[in-house]
Amino acid sequence: MSFSRFVRCLAPVAGLFAALPLAAAPAHKIAIVMHGGAGTITRGEMTAAMETQYRGTMKEALKTGYAELQHGSSSLDACEAAIEVLENSPLFNAGKGAVFTHNGQVELDAAIMDGRTMKAGAVAAVQHVANPIHLARLVMEKTPHVLLVGTGAEDFAIAQGIKLVPQDYFFTQRRWDALQHVLNEERKSKQAMAEPEGIAGTNAHAFGTVGCAALDRDGNLAGGTSTGGLTNKRFGRVGDSPLVGDGVYADNATFAGSGTGIGEYYMRLNLLKDVSDLMEYKGWSLQKAANYEIHTKLVKLGGTNTGGMIGLDRAGDIVMPFNTPGMYRGYVDTHGHLVVKIYGNE
Ligand code: ASP
């Protein structure tokens, strides 16, 4: 029996014990930060009703993750639970509501990483898994591997007792219309394949990826990311989201975080690992390192409107830089303050 459980058993018998702290060591402060994708998100593009829905769902996800942390669950549990809220919402480009590939299919990528052990699990191009972040966690915990893809990942899901869902489950009219729009643009410009630069310039719908970083009572960090990738992707394209160091990272020695934007740039920069390296080898703060990656390195490689990231360190410092007009984002800080933002100028 653990010490805290032992004290709890005695407390009702002797009221005297009720005043004693239940944990032997003081708990570490807790915090959580999330994004719901970066991109061309402006007040002009948003109706009041949509804005309310986005803010409300971001809040719900943050509260879900934070409640896990308050109840003493791990940062991994918090990330998984919070991300599942957004995967289950049709608003975000993850799980239900994911964007469509060139062929009108949905292909989902996700990854989760444990900052304590630096273990990670990921899946890519799965087509029938409602909550890819959960499957990513199972890859981490039940296999010696890091990344499983396509039908192999789905076979593993079945072996783990996950019920696969039909492609229809993911359908939203908004994402379908977005694909038709991009296909029309493509036809007009006679481009054989949408270049990442083209996507940045013309595809205002390339956002909605979700990500989370959390700090738990034991002082452990975790990070997770889940996405449908980019509208009109093809030929089995996989982006940064399921790749450790590119779209997700967690190391207790530095930070935990998640990226969102045009994955090709994040992959070339190993963007999140670079943030970690700057912290570890140069002694930079999380804020300095994250700002440098998003506002200098990413801009040098791909220009503005390429993306953003969220990050959290063990001191509870939170960052959410982006070089796009907006990014769905929010946090509950170490004082318990909940904040949700969308636009650049708020
Ligand atoms: N990074 C994702 C990808 O390239 C997309 C996004 O974050 O919106 O697949």
Side-chain angles (χ1 to χ4, degrees), residues 283-328:
W284 285 14
S285 68
L286 171 59
Q287 189 169 12
K288 186 174 173 184
N291 280 339
Y292 176 68
E293 288 299 317
I294 299 296
H295 295 300
T296 303
K297 292 207 81 170
L298 195 53
V299 170
K300 249 191 223 162
L301 195 64
T304 53
N305 209 13
T306 35
M309 62 168 281
I310 49 113
L312 173 64
D313 65 18
R314 284 187 92 200
D317 288 332
I318 287 168
V319 294
M320 307 188 295
F322 53 98
N323 64 35
T324 46
M327 180 167 86
Y328 301 110

Side-chain angles (χ1 to χ4, degrees), residues 211-223:
C212 181
L215 172 64
D216 66 29
R217 278 191 178 175
D218 295 326
N220 292 318
L221 292 166

Side-chain angles (χ1 to χ4, degrees), residues 206-207 209 227 229-230 237 239-241 260-263:
F207 57 79
T209 291
T227 188
L230 299 180
R237 180 265 185 194
D240 59 314
S241 305
T260 174
I262 299 166

Side-chain angles (χ1 to χ4, degrees), residues 35 37-38 93 109 206-210 225 227-230 233 237-242 247 259-264 266-267:
H35 69 77
N93 175 18
D109 309 328
F207 57 79
T209 291
V210 309
T225 306
T227 188
L230 299 180
K233 66 182 183 181
R237 180 265 185 194
V238 172
D240 59 314
S241 305
T260 174
I262 299 166
E264 281 66 11
Y266 285 70
M267 290 155 86

